[in-house]
mmCIF file of all heavy atoms in Angstrom:
data_model
loop_
_atom_site.group_PDB
_atom_site.id
_atom_site.type_symbol
_atom_site.label_atom_id
_atom_site.label_comp_id
_atom_site.label_asym_id
_atom_site.label_seq_id
_atom_site.Cartn_x
_atom_site.Cartn_y
_atom_site.Cartn_z
ATOM 1 N N MET A 23 -9.508 31.603 24.379
ATOM 2 C CA MET A 23 -8.466 30.580 24.207
ATOM 3 C C MET A 23 -7.145 31.201 23.754
ATOM 4 O O MET A 23 -7.143 32.202 23.049
ATOM 5 C CB MET A 23 -8.909 29.547 23.155
ATOM 6 C CG MET A 23 -9.800 28.450 23.756
ATOM 7 S SD MET A 23 -10.168 27.209 22.554
ATOM 8 C CE MET A 23 -8.641 26.268 22.632
ATOM 9 N N THR A 24 -6.100 30.578 24.130
ATOM 10 C CA THR A 24 -4.790 31.111 23.744
ATOM 11 C C THR A 24 -4.282 30.409 22.483
ATOM 12 O O THR A 24 -4.353 29.173 22.376
ATOM 13 C CB THR A 24 -3.764 30.932 24.863
ATOM 14 O OG1 THR A 24 -3.857 29.637 25.385
ATOM 15 C CG2 THR A 24 -3.974 31.953 25.967
ATOM 16 N N THR A 25 -3.790 31.188 21.606
ATOM 17 C CA THR A 25 -3.233 30.628 20.372
ATOM 18 C C THR A 25 -1.737 30.419 20.529
ATOM 19 O O THR A 25 -0.972 31.369 20.581
ATOM 20 C CB THR A 25 -3.513 31.555 19.174
ATOM 21 O OG1 THR A 25 -4.874 31.936 19.223
ATOM 22 C CG2 THR A 25 -3.227 30.869 17.867
ATOM 23 N N LEU A 26 -1.347 29.154 20.607
ATOM 24 C CA LEU A 26 0.077 28.853 20.773
ATOM 25 C C LEU A 26 0.749 28.622 19.425
ATOM 26 O O LEU A 26 1.942 28.382 19.334
ATOM 27 C CB LEU A 26 0.245 27.602 21.632
ATOM 28 C CG LEU A 26 -0.133 27.803 23.117
ATOM 29 C CD1 LEU A 26 -0.123 26.470 23.840
ATOM 30 C CD2 LEU A 26 0.841 28.745 23.794
ATOM 31 N N ASN A 27 -0.055 28.669 18.415
ATOM 32 C CA ASN A 27 0.492 28.444 17.067
ATOM 33 C C ASN A 27 1.128 29.721 16.547
ATOM 34 O O ASN A 27 0.559 30.469 15.784
ATOM 35 C CB ASN A 27 -0.658 27.981 16.157
ATOM 36 C CG ASN A 27 -0.140 27.280 14.911
ATOM 37 O OD1 ASN A 27 1.057 27.164 14.694
ATOM 38 N ND2 ASN A 27 -1.046 26.853 14.071
ATOM 39 N N GLU A 28 2.354 29.949 16.981
ATOM 40 C CA GLU A 28 3.040 31.179 16.606
ATOM 41 C C GLU A 28 3.676 31.056 15.237
ATOM 42 O O GLU A 28 4.357 30.105 14.922
ATOM 43 C CB GLU A 28 4.119 31.498 17.647
ATOM 44 C CG GLU A 28 3.515 31.691 19.029
ATOM 45 C CD GLU A 28 4.264 32.745 19.803
ATOM 46 O OE1 GLU A 28 4.910 33.597 19.184
ATOM 47 O OE2 GLU A 28 4.217 32.714 21.044
ATOM 48 N N ARG A 29 3.436 32.076 14.449
ATOM 49 C CA ARG A 29 4.031 32.096 13.093
ATOM 50 C C ARG A 29 5.482 32.513 13.172
ATOM 51 O O ARG A 29 6.187 32.530 12.184
ATOM 52 C CB ARG A 29 3.261 33.100 12.197
ATOM 53 C CG ARG A 29 1.770 32.916 12.159
ATOM 54 C CD ARG A 29 1.297 31.692 11.359
ATOM 55 N NE ARG A 29 2.001 31.468 10.118
ATOM 56 C CZ ARG A 29 1.557 31.823 8.908
ATOM 57 N NH1 ARG A 29 0.439 32.460 8.781
ATOM 58 N NH2 ARG A 29 2.231 31.540 7.833
ATOM 59 N N ASP A 30 5.885 32.849 14.346
ATOM 60 C CA ASP A 30 7.220 33.398 14.614
ATOM 61 C C ASP A 30 8.303 32.332 14.631
ATOM 62 O O ASP A 30 9.479 32.618 14.540
ATOM 63 C CB ASP A 30 7.144 34.089 15.965
ATOM 64 C CG ASP A 30 8.312 35.026 16.198
ATOM 65 O OD1 ASP A 30 8.873 35.481 15.194
ATOM 66 O OD2 ASP A 30 8.655 35.261 17.349
ATOM 67 N N ALA A 31 7.915 31.072 14.777
ATOM 68 C CA ALA A 31 8.889 30.000 14.935
ATOM 69 C C ALA A 31 9.671 29.706 13.664
ATOM 70 O O ALA A 31 9.131 29.678 12.564
ATOM 71 C CB ALA A 31 8.158 28.726 15.383
ATOM 72 N N MET A 32 10.974 29.499 13.878
ATOM 73 C CA MET A 32 11.852 29.142 12.766
ATOM 74 C C MET A 32 12.769 27.996 13.211
ATOM 75 O O MET A 32 13.058 27.861 14.391
ATOM 76 C CB MET A 32 12.703 30.332 12.338
ATOM 77 C CG MET A 32 11.919 31.376 11.534
ATOM 78 S SD MET A 32 12.983 32.665 10.913
ATOM 79 C CE MET A 32 13.736 31.879 9.501
ATOM 80 N N ILE A 33 13.238 27.223 12.274
ATOM 81 C CA ILE A 33 14.178 26.139 12.601
ATOM 82 C C ILE A 33 15.584 26.700 12.628
ATOM 83 O O ILE A 33 16.070 27.276 11.668
ATOM 84 C CB ILE A 33 14.108 25.012 11.551
ATOM 85 C CG1 ILE A 33 12.675 24.481 11.393
ATOM 86 C CG2 ILE A 33 15.093 23.879 11.881
ATOM 87 C CD1 ILE A 33 12.135 23.756 12.589
ATOM 88 N N CYS A 34 16.242 26.497 13.762
ATOM 89 C CA CYS A 34 17.637 26.919 13.893
ATOM 90 C C CYS A 34 18.523 26.034 13.017
ATOM 91 O O CYS A 34 18.428 24.819 13.061
ATOM 92 C CB CYS A 34 18.051 26.813 15.360
ATOM 93 S SG CYS A 34 19.821 27.049 15.610
ATOM 94 N N ARG A 35 19.365 26.659 12.228
ATOM 95 C CA ARG A 35 20.228 25.902 11.300
ATOM 96 C C ARG A 35 21.507 25.398 11.954
ATOM 97 O O ARG A 35 22.334 24.780 11.308
ATOM 98 C CB ARG A 35 20.555 26.763 10.085
ATOM 99 C CG ARG A 35 19.346 27.095 9.232
ATOM 100 C CD ARG A 35 18.697 25.856 8.680
ATOM 101 N NE ARG A 35 17.422 26.165 8.036
ATOM 102 C CZ ARG A 35 16.538 25.244 7.658
ATOM 103 N NH1 ARG A 35 16.776 23.985 7.850
ATOM 104 N NH2 ARG A 35 15.429 25.610 7.072
ATOM 105 N N ALA A 36 21.640 25.664 13.228
ATOM 106 C CA ALA A 36 22.817 25.156 13.934
ATOM 107 C C ALA A 36 22.449 23.929 14.787
ATOM 108 O O ALA A 36 23.135 22.940 14.765
ATOM 109 C CB ALA A 36 23.406 26.249 14.792
ATOM 110 N N CYS A 37 21.367 23.995 15.527
ATOM 111 C CA CYS A 37 20.996 22.897 16.413
ATOM 112 C C CYS A 37 19.743 22.156 15.939
ATOM 113 O O CYS A 37 19.471 21.061 16.379
ATOM 114 C CB CYS A 37 20.785 23.398 17.837
ATOM 115 S SG CYS A 37 19.351 24.449 18.043
ATOM 116 N N GLY A 38 19.005 22.743 15.007
ATOM 117 C CA GLY A 38 17.846 22.080 14.456
ATOM 118 C C GLY A 38 16.566 22.246 15.263
ATOM 119 O O GLY A 38 15.527 21.741 14.902
ATOM 120 N N ASN A 39 16.640 22.969 16.352
ATOM 121 C CA ASN A 39 15.450 23.203 17.173
ATOM 122 C C ASN A 39 14.583 24.303 16.565
ATOM 123 O O ASN A 39 15.092 25.185 15.870
ATOM 124 C CB ASN A 39 15.857 23.613 18.589
ATOM 125 C CG ASN A 39 16.372 22.435 19.388
ATOM 126 O OD1 ASN A 39 16.091 21.278 19.092
ATOM 127 N ND2 ASN A 39 17.146 22.731 20.416
ATOM 128 N N GLU A 40 13.322 24.212 16.888
ATOM 129 C CA GLU A 40 12.420 25.275 16.440
ATOM 130 C C GLU A 40 12.352 26.313 17.541
ATOM 131 O O GLU A 40 11.938 26.041 18.659
ATOM 132 C CB GLU A 40 11.034 24.680 16.188
ATOM 133 C CG GLU A 40 10.159 25.641 15.402
ATOM 134 C CD GLU A 40 8.825 24.998 15.034
ATOM 135 O OE1 GLU A 40 8.003 24.784 15.925
ATOM 136 O OE2 GLU A 40 8.636 24.690 13.847
ATOM 137 N N GLU A 41 12.802 27.500 17.213
ATOM 138 C CA GLU A 41 12.834 28.583 18.190
ATOM 139 C C GLU A 41 12.211 29.832 17.612
ATOM 140 O O GLU A 41 11.934 29.921 16.428
ATOM 141 C CB GLU A 41 14.278 28.884 18.597
ATOM 142 C CG GLU A 41 15.016 27.707 19.179
ATOM 143 C CD GLU A 41 14.511 27.296 20.553
ATOM 144 O OE1 GLU A 41 13.763 28.068 21.186
ATOM 145 O OE2 GLU A 41 14.865 26.188 21.016
ATOM 146 N N ARG A 42 12.002 30.808 18.469
ATOM 147 C CA ARG A 42 11.404 32.061 18.035
ATOM 148 C C ARG A 42 12.343 32.870 17.157
ATOM 149 O O ARG A 42 13.462 33.181 17.566
ATOM 150 C CB ARG A 42 11.016 32.901 19.245
ATOM 151 C CG ARG A 42 9.786 32.376 19.945
ATOM 152 C CD ARG A 42 9.409 33.338 21.027
ATOM 153 N NE ARG A 42 8.142 32.946 21.641
ATOM 154 C CZ ARG A 42 7.320 33.813 22.226
ATOM 155 N NH1 ARG A 42 7.657 35.094 22.283
ATOM 156 N NH2 ARG A 42 6.202 33.426 22.741
ATOM 157 N N ALA A 43 11.852 33.222 16.023
ATOM 158 C CA ALA A 43 12.655 34.006 15.083
ATOM 159 C C ALA A 43 13.028 35.360 15.657
ATOM 160 O O ALA A 43 14.129 35.859 15.451
ATOM 161 C CB ALA A 43 11.882 34.186 13.786
ATOM 162 N N SER A 44 12.123 35.935 16.420
ATOM 163 C CA SER A 44 12.353 37.269 16.976
ATOM 164 C C SER A 44 13.432 37.268 18.051
ATOM 165 O O SER A 44 13.994 38.298 18.391
ATOM 166 C CB SER A 44 11.050 37.823 17.550
ATOM 167 O OG SER A 44 10.541 36.968 18.548
ATOM 168 N N GLU A 45 13.737 36.062 18.582
ATOM 169 C CA GLU A 45 14.764 35.988 19.633
ATOM 170 C C GLU A 45 16.076 35.432 19.095
ATOM 171 O O GLU A 45 17.035 35.272 19.840
ATOM 172 C CB GLU A 45 14.258 35.103 20.775
ATOM 173 C CG GLU A 45 13.108 35.750 21.534
ATOM 174 C CD GLU A 45 12.556 34.850 22.621
ATOM 175 O OE1 GLU A 45 13.091 33.756 22.824
ATOM 176 O OE2 GLU A 45 11.598 35.268 23.260
ATOM 177 N N GLY A 46 16.106 35.100 17.832
ATOM 178 C CA GLY A 46 17.314 34.509 17.261
ATOM 179 C C GLY A 46 18.195 35.550 16.590
ATOM 180 O O GLY A 46 17.944 36.745 16.651
ATOM 181 N N TYR A 47 19.237 35.040 15.940
ATOM 182 C CA TYR A 47 20.182 35.893 15.254
ATOM 183 C C TYR A 47 20.488 35.309 13.889
ATOM 184 O O TYR A 47 20.414 34.083 13.736
ATOM 185 C CB TYR A 47 21.496 35.974 16.051
ATOM 186 C CG TYR A 47 21.310 36.615 17.410
ATOM 187 C CD1 TYR A 47 20.912 35.860 18.513
ATOM 188 C CD2 TYR A 47 21.503 37.986 17.571
ATOM 189 C CE1 TYR A 47 20.721 36.450 19.740
ATOM 190 C CE2 TYR A 47 21.307 38.588 18.803
ATOM 191 C CZ TYR A 47 20.921 37.811 19.874
ATOM 192 O OH TYR A 47 20.715 38.396 21.095
ATOM 193 N N PRO A 48 20.887 36.108 12.938
ATOM 194 C CA PRO A 48 21.266 35.554 11.646
ATOM 195 C C PRO A 48 22.684 35.007 11.671
ATOM 196 O O PRO A 48 23.547 35.501 12.388
ATOM 197 C CB PRO A 48 21.151 36.757 10.698
ATOM 198 C CG PRO A 48 21.371 37.951 11.555
ATOM 199 C CD PRO A 48 20.887 37.572 12.924
ATOM 200 N N CYS A 49 22.915 33.971 10.881
ATOM 201 C CA CYS A 49 24.266 33.454 10.666
ATOM 202 C C CYS A 49 25.144 34.564 10.100
ATOM 203 O O CYS A 49 24.697 35.287 9.197
ATOM 204 C CB CYS A 49 24.197 32.267 9.693
ATOM 205 S SG CYS A 49 25.787 31.741 9.040
ATOM 206 N N VAL A 50 26.350 34.711 10.647
ATOM 207 C CA VAL A 50 27.207 35.803 10.214
ATOM 208 C C VAL A 50 27.680 35.636 8.762
ATOM 209 O O VAL A 50 28.103 36.584 8.130
ATOM 210 C CB VAL A 50 28.446 35.966 11.132
ATOM 211 C CG1 VAL A 50 28.010 36.428 12.525
ATOM 212 C CG2 VAL A 50 29.263 34.693 11.221
ATOM 213 N N LYS A 51 27.579 34.415 8.257
ATOM 214 C CA LYS A 51 28.037 34.164 6.900
ATOM 215 C C LYS A 51 26.917 34.203 5.873
ATOM 216 O O LYS A 51 27.052 34.847 4.838
ATOM 217 C CB LYS A 51 28.750 32.812 6.841
ATOM 218 C CG LYS A 51 30.156 32.849 7.382
ATOM 219 C CD LYS A 51 30.891 31.611 6.914
ATOM 220 C CE LYS A 51 32.373 31.732 7.239
ATOM 221 N NZ LYS A 51 33.106 30.549 6.730
ATOM 222 N N CYS A 52 25.854 33.491 6.138
ATOM 223 C CA CYS A 52 24.792 33.377 5.112
ATOM 224 C C CYS A 52 23.488 34.027 5.541
ATOM 225 O O CYS A 52 22.588 34.176 4.751
ATOM 226 C CB CYS A 52 24.583 31.913 4.742
ATOM 227 S SG CYS A 52 23.804 30.931 6.031
ATOM 228 N N GLY A 53 23.386 34.413 6.811
ATOM 229 C CA GLY A 53 22.207 35.125 7.265
ATOM 230 C C GLY A 53 21.022 34.252 7.623
ATOM 231 O O GLY A 53 19.953 34.756 7.903
ATOM 232 N N THR A 54 21.229 32.935 7.640
ATOM 233 C CA THR A 54 20.142 32.046 8.014
ATOM 234 C C THR A 54 19.912 32.095 9.529
ATOM 235 O O THR A 54 20.747 32.601 10.266
ATOM 236 C CB THR A 54 20.426 30.605 7.530
ATOM 237 O OG1 THR A 54 19.199 29.890 7.514
ATOM 238 C CG2 THR A 54 21.406 29.873 8.421
ATOM 239 N N PHE A 55 18.786 31.554 9.941
ATOM 240 C CA PHE A 55 18.397 31.695 11.348
ATOM 241 C C PHE A 55 19.225 30.833 12.304
ATOM 242 O O PHE A 55 19.373 29.634 12.127
ATOM 243 C CB PHE A 55 16.920 31.364 11.488
ATOM 244 C CG PHE A 55 16.430 31.409 12.909
ATOM 245 C CD1 PHE A 55 16.402 32.607 13.614
ATOM 246 C CD2 PHE A 55 16.040 30.246 13.547
ATOM 247 C CE1 PHE A 55 15.957 32.642 14.926
ATOM 248 C CE2 PHE A 55 15.590 30.266 14.864
ATOM 249 C CZ PHE A 55 15.555 31.463 15.557
ATOM 250 N N ILE A 56 19.741 31.465 13.354
ATOM 251 C CA ILE A 56 20.397 30.797 14.468
ATOM 252 C C ILE A 56 19.637 31.197 15.731
ATOM 253 O O ILE A 56 19.422 32.377 15.965
ATOM 254 C CB ILE A 56 21.876 31.237 14.607
ATOM 255 C CG1 ILE A 56 22.638 31.084 13.281
ATOM 256 C CG2 ILE A 56 22.568 30.455 15.719
ATOM 257 C CD1 ILE A 56 22.850 29.684 12.810
ATOM 258 N N CYS A 57 19.265 30.200 16.547
ATOM 259 C CA CYS A 57 18.463 30.524 17.726
ATOM 260 C C CYS A 57 19.338 31.174 18.816
ATOM 261 O O CYS A 57 20.547 31.096 18.796
ATOM 262 C CB CYS A 57 17.790 29.260 18.262
ATOM 263 S SG CYS A 57 18.872 28.113 19.106
ATOM 264 N N VAL A 58 18.667 31.807 19.755
ATOM 265 C CA VAL A 58 19.331 32.533 20.825
ATOM 266 C C VAL A 58 20.144 31.601 21.732
ATOM 267 O O VAL A 58 21.178 31.974 22.277
ATOM 268 C CB VAL A 58 18.312 33.374 21.619
ATOM 269 C CG1 VAL A 58 17.377 32.486 22.447
ATOM 270 C CG2 VAL A 58 19.001 34.394 22.509
ATOM 271 N N ILE A 59 19.706 30.370 21.851
ATOM 272 C CA ILE A 59 20.423 29.390 22.690
ATOM 273 C C ILE A 59 21.795 29.091 22.103
ATOM 274 O O ILE A 59 22.799 29.079 22.801
ATOM 275 C CB ILE A 59 19.593 28.093 22.825
ATOM 276 C CG1 ILE A 59 18.274 28.392 23.548
ATOM 277 C CG2 ILE A 59 20.380 27.016 23.553
ATOM 278 C CD1 ILE A 59 17.105 27.593 23.049
ATOM 279 N N CYS A 60 21.836 28.884 20.802
ATOM 280 C CA CYS A 60 23.115 28.666 20.137
ATOM 281 C C CYS A 60 23.986 29.912 20.237
ATOM 282 O O CYS A 60 25.189 29.823 20.461
ATOM 283 C CB CYS A 60 22.877 28.300 18.672
ATOM 284 S SG CYS A 60 22.244 26.642 18.475
ATOM 285 N N ASN A 61 23.373 31.029 20.065
ATOM 286 C CA ASN A 61 24.110 32.293 20.120
ATOM 287 C C ASN A 61 24.757 32.495 21.471
ATOM 288 O O ASN A 61 25.898 32.930 21.584
ATOM 289 C CB ASN A 61 23.155 33.450 19.783
ATOM 290 C CG ASN A 61 23.913 34.701 19.418
ATOM 291 O OD1 ASN A 61 24.178 35.546 20.281
ATOM 292 N ND2 ASN A 61 24.320 34.818 18.174
ATOM 293 N N LEU A 62 24.053 32.111 22.514
ATOM 294 C CA LEU A 62 24.593 32.224 23.874
ATOM 295 C C LEU A 62 25.781 31.274 24.085
ATOM 296 O O LEU A 62 26.641 31.524 24.904
ATOM 297 C CB LEU A 62 23.490 31.925 24.893
ATOM 298 C CG LEU A 62 22.444 33.033 25.082
ATOM 299 C CD1 LEU A 62 21.307 32.534 25.945
ATOM 300 C CD2 LEU A 62 23.074 34.273 25.707
ATOM 301 N N ARG A 63 25.762 30.182 23.322
ATOM 302 C CA ARG A 63 26.857 29.226 23.406
ATOM 303 C C ARG A 63 28.036 29.619 22.504
ATOM 304 O O ARG A 63 29.000 28.897 22.375
ATOM 305 C CB ARG A 63 26.369 27.838 23.001
ATOM 306 C CG ARG A 63 25.406 27.255 24.019
ATOM 307 C CD ARG A 63 24.505 26.249 23.346
ATOM 308 N NE ARG A 63 24.905 24.877 23.696
ATOM 309 C CZ ARG A 63 24.292 23.809 23.227
ATOM 310 N NH1 ARG A 63 23.272 23.918 22.402
ATOM 311 N NH2 ARG A 63 24.680 22.612 23.559
ATOM 312 N N GLY A 64 27.889 30.751 21.871
ATOM 313 C CA GLY A 64 28.982 31.248 21.048
ATOM 314 C C GLY A 64 28.896 30.812 19.600
ATOM 315 O O GLY A 64 29.818 31.024 18.822
ATOM 316 N N VAL A 65 27.789 30.185 19.238
ATOM 317 C CA VAL A 65 27.601 29.758 17.857
ATOM 318 C C VAL A 65 27.059 30.943 17.054
ATOM 319 O O VAL A 65 25.993 31.467 17.371
ATOM 320 C CB VAL A 65 26.616 28.561 17.768
ATOM 321 C CG1 VAL A 65 26.381 28.154 16.319
ATOM 322 C CG2 VAL A 65 27.150 27.388 18.571
ATOM 323 N N VAL A 66 27.806 31.361 16.070
ATOM 324 C CA VAL A 66 27.377 32.509 15.262
ATOM 325 C C VAL A 66 27.192 32.139 13.791
ATOM 326 O O VAL A 66 26.807 32.969 12.982
ATOM 327 C CB VAL A 66 28.344 33.695 15.398
ATOM 328 C CG1 VAL A 66 28.275 34.294 16.805
ATOM 329 C CG2 VAL A 66 29.766 33.305 15.064
ATOM 330 N N THR A 67 27.459 30.885 13.479
ATOM 331 C CA THR A 67 27.253 30.422 12.102
ATOM 332 C C THR A 67 26.352 29.187 12.095
ATOM 333 O O THR A 67 26.330 28.442 13.067
ATOM 334 C CB THR A 67 28.585 30.068 11.416
ATOM 335 O OG1 THR A 67 29.273 29.107 12.183
ATOM 336 C CG2 THR A 67 29.456 31.271 11.236
ATOM 337 N N CYS A 68 25.660 28.981 11.017
ATOM 338 C CA CYS A 68 24.844 27.769 10.862
ATOM 339 C C CYS A 68 25.775 26.568 10.685
ATOM 340 O O CYS A 68 26.976 26.703 10.484
ATOM 341 C CB CYS A 68 23.892 27.914 9.689
ATOM 342 S SG CYS A 68 24.700 27.948 8.075
ATOM 343 N N ARG A 69 25.172 25.390 10.722
ATOM 344 C CA ARG A 69 25.977 24.167 10.646
ATOM 345 C C ARG A 69 26.744 24.061 9.347
ATOM 346 O O ARG A 69 27.886 23.625 9.298
ATOM 347 C CB ARG A 69 25.052 22.955 10.826
ATOM 348 C CG ARG A 69 25.790 21.713 11.221
ATOM 349 C CD ARG A 69 24.839 20.594 11.545
ATOM 350 N NE ARG A 69 24.283 20.722 12.898
ATOM 351 C CZ ARG A 69 23.378 19.909 13.399
ATOM 352 N NH1 ARG A 69 22.888 18.940 12.669
ATOM 353 N NH2 ARG A 69 22.950 20.048 14.617
ATOM 354 N N ALA A 70 26.099 24.455 8.272
ATOM 355 C CA ALA A 70 26.721 24.398 6.953
ATOM 356 C C ALA A 70 27.943 25.311 6.876
ATOM 357 O O ALA A 70 29.002 24.938 6.364
ATOM 358 C CB ALA A 70 25.709 24.770 5.889
ATOM 359 N N CYS A 71 27.819 26.504 7.399
ATOM 360 C CA CYS A 71 28.913 27.457 7.388
ATOM 361 C C CYS A 71 30.022 27.020 8.345
ATOM 362 O O CYS A 71 31.202 27.189 8.043
ATOM 363 C CB CYS A 71 28.426 28.851 7.751
ATOM 364 S SG CYS A 71 27.408 29.577 6.472
ATOM 365 N N ALA A 72 29.648 26.485 9.498
ATOM 366 C CA ALA A 72 30.644 26.024 10.465
ATOM 367 C C ALA A 72 31.464 24.879 9.913
ATOM 368 O O ALA A 72 32.659 24.772 10.144
ATOM 369 C CB ALA A 72 29.919 25.597 11.735
ATOM 370 N N LYS A 73 30.821 24.046 9.131
ATOM 371 C CA LYS A 73 31.478 22.904 8.509
ATOM 372 C C LYS A 73 32.474 23.375 7.477
ATOM 373 O O LYS A 73 33.565 22.799 7.301
ATOM 374 C CB LYS A 73 30.402 22.034 7.835
ATOM 375 C CG LYS A 73 30.839 20.618 7.561
ATOM 376 C CD LYS A 73 29.655 19.863 6.985
ATOM 377 C CE LYS A 73 30.028 18.404 6.731
ATOM 378 N NZ LYS A 73 28.875 17.682 6.147
ATOM 379 N N ASP A 74 32.075 24.419 6.787
ATOM 380 C CA ASP A 74 32.863 25.001 5.731
ATOM 381 C C ASP A 74 34.093 25.693 6.273
ATOM 382 O O ASP A 74 35.118 25.833 5.612
ATOM 383 C CB ASP A 74 31.990 25.984 4.956
ATOM 384 C CG ASP A 74 32.465 26.183 3.541
ATOM 385 O OD1 ASP A 74 32.718 25.165 2.876
ATOM 386 O OD2 ASP A 74 32.593 27.351 3.134
ATOM 387 N N GLU A 75 33.958 26.117 7.504
ATOM 388 C CA GLU A 75 34.991 26.918 8.109
ATOM 389 C C GLU A 75 36.202 26.084 8.563
ATOM 390 O O GLU A 75 36.047 25.072 9.234
ATOM 391 C CB GLU A 75 34.399 27.641 9.329
ATOM 392 C CG GLU A 75 35.111 28.914 9.672
ATOM 393 C CD GLU A 75 34.251 29.760 10.601
ATOM 394 O OE1 GLU A 75 33.279 30.337 10.118
ATOM 395 O OE2 GLU A 75 34.540 29.792 11.799
ATOM 396 N N VAL A 76 37.364 26.500 8.195
ATOM 397 C CA VAL A 76 38.572 25.805 8.592
ATOM 398 C C VAL A 76 39.000 26.285 9.968
ATOM 399 O O VAL A 76 39.141 27.488 10.187
ATOM 400 C CB VAL A 76 39.728 26.070 7.585
ATOM 401 C CG1 VAL A 76 40.963 25.267 7.952
ATOM 402 C CG2 VAL A 76 39.282 25.731 6.161
ATOM 403 N N PRO A 77 39.179 25.369 10.889
ATOM 404 C CA PRO A 77 39.613 25.769 12.237
ATOM 405 C C PRO A 77 40.966 26.463 12.191
ATOM 406 O O PRO A 77 41.999 25.833 12.033
ATOM 407 C CB PRO A 77 39.714 24.438 12.998
ATOM 408 C CG PRO A 77 38.929 23.485 12.203
ATOM 409 C CD PRO A 77 38.985 23.946 10.786
ATOM 410 N N ALA A 78 40.905 27.737 12.329
ATOM 411 C CA ALA A 78 42.113 28.557 12.188
ATOM 412 C C ALA A 78 42.897 28.625 13.510
ATOM 413 O O ALA A 78 42.806 27.741 14.334
ATOM 414 C CB ALA A 78 41.721 29.945 11.732
ATOM 415 N N SER A 79 43.635 29.658 13.653
ATOM 416 C CA SER A 79 44.535 29.876 14.786
ATOM 417 C C SER A 79 43.950 29.499 16.139
ATOM 418 O O SER A 79 42.989 30.101 16.589
ATOM 419 C CB SER A 79 44.960 31.337 14.781
ATOM 420 O OG SER A 79 43.821 32.149 14.774
ATOM 421 N N LYS A 80 44.532 28.511 16.765
ATOM 422 C CA LYS A 80 44.153 28.203 18.131
ATOM 423 C C LYS A 80 45.188 27.267 18.754
ATOM 424 O O LYS A 80 45.693 26.390 18.119
ATOM 425 C CB LYS A 80 42.788 27.525 18.202
ATOM 426 C CG LYS A 80 42.235 27.703 19.607
ATOM 427 C CD LYS A 80 40.729 27.480 19.646
ATOM 428 C CE LYS A 80 40.228 28.033 20.987
ATOM 429 N NZ LYS A 80 38.905 27.559 21.277
HETATM 430 ZN ZN1 ZN B 11 20.056 26.596 17.840
HETATM 431 ZN ZN1 ZN B 12 25.358 30.069 7.496
#
């Protein structure tokens, strides 16, 4: 039988999805888990840090 219960799963702090920790990235500010899907979309900070961040030059 195959064990699908991976201990590797973590909750992404940007989108809230449960994704593989080994495929994710840490938040550039606090180091919490960000999934690879968010990272591909250009999200490099968790929701809390993004909220904290003031939209600068644009
Ligand atoms: Zn995510
Ligand atoms: Zn963060």
Side-chain angles (χ1 to χ4, degrees):
M23 276 185 80
T24 45
T25 312
L26 291 172
N27 199 359
E28 300 214 24
R29 308 287 319 261
D30 196 25
M32 285 186 79
I33 304 293
C34 171
R35 295 299 172 191
C37 69
N39 286 338
E40 194 175 71
E41 302 290 346
R42 286 186 174 207
S44 59
E45 291 177 3
Y47 296 86
C49 167
V50 293
K51 282 197 170 183
C52 71
T54 199
F55 176 67
I56 308 292
C57 74
V58 69
I59 296 144
C60 287
N61 197 266
L62 286 171
R63 291 155 105 181
V65 178
V66 292
T67 55
C68 68
R69 200 173 279 177
C71 289
K73 200 177 182 181
D74 205 48
E75 206 163 286
V76 184
S79 54
K80 201 162 195 195

